[in-house]
Amino acid sequence: TVLRTLAFVSALLGATAAPALAQGSGATVISLNGDIWDGNGGPFLTGNVYHIFTGGGACCGRVPPGQTLTIQPGAIVKIDFSLNVQGTLIANGATFTSWLDDAQGGDSNGDGSMTLPQPGDWDSLQFTSTSMGSVLNNCLVRYGGSTEPMVWCRGADVAIASCDIFD
């Protein structure tokens, strides 16, 4: 009932959400796209896997201007295309990776070892000029950079410290 309630509340607030269980990981997978912030699909909680997907009329996930998305330590964010931060993103100890990365959060896409993550699987964490006060601290960022840098600060105020950005 908790997962049904989350999906219902997220739908009411405008984020597309479809909770599921990651194959073999025991972690809850919450799929989101469109506008996401604390109170609308967030905050992202420790122990959950979040799938930011393209579809349903939205190209990706977006933190709108004036809103904040908090990502707790140990939360895993698997991205199909990008997360566009126009508001504020606060992430401490989070992982941002490919939807195909079974090493982080288990086999979330349920295909066993049929697909493996590769550099460029997703595009970017994109911070725009309206993004003020964003923080990436002790984060792991992997397998992005398909057409843009994995972490792209376009005139944004972003503090990045002790992060591993690779693959």
Side-chain angles (χ1 to χ4, degrees):
T1 60
V2 171
L3 294 178
R4 271 194 221 123
T5 302
L6 177 62
F8 176 74
V9 170
S10 293
L12 282 177
L13 294 174
T16 304
L21 195 60
Q23 298 287 327
S25 74
T28 299
V29 176
I30 300 167
S31 295
L32 301 162
N33 76 351
D35 289 345
I36 306 164
W37 67 89
D38 294 352
N40 188 48
F44 289 7
L45 306 176
T46 301
N48 288 339
V49 175
Y50 295 86
H51 176 210
I52 308 286
F53 69 95
T54 301
C59 75
C60 48
R62 180 179 85 116
V63 180
Q67 299 295 334
T68 298
L69 175 61
T70 305
I71 304 177
Q72 295 181 346
I76 298 168
V77 183
K78 294 188 175 187
I79 303 173
D80 281 354
F81 184 68
S82 69
L83 178 59
N84 185 336
V85 181
Q86 297 172 357
T88 303
L89 177 70
I90 307 295
N92 184 13
T95 297
F96 300 89
T97 190
S98 166
W99 177 237
L100 305 176
D101 187 356
D102 295 350
Q104 304 296 322
D107 184 20
S108 305
N109 65 349
D111 72 347
S113 60
M114 296 292 293
T115 54
L116 299 174
Q118 298 178 44
D121 274 353
W122 57 282
D123 204 45
S124 64
L125 293 175
Q126 188 175 126
F127 296 88
T128 65
S129 61
T130 59
S131 175
M132 304 309 254
S134 290
V135 175
L136 292 177
N137 187 37
N138 293 312
C139 292
L140 175 64
V141 185
R142 301 182 70 182
Y143 300 115
S146 63
T147 62
E148 298 168 359
M150 270 192 278
V151 178
W152 190 16
C153 301
R154 298 173 36 200
D157 175 18
V158 182
I160 301 172
S162 301
C163 293
D164 289 326
I165 302 170
F166 61 98
D167 287 326

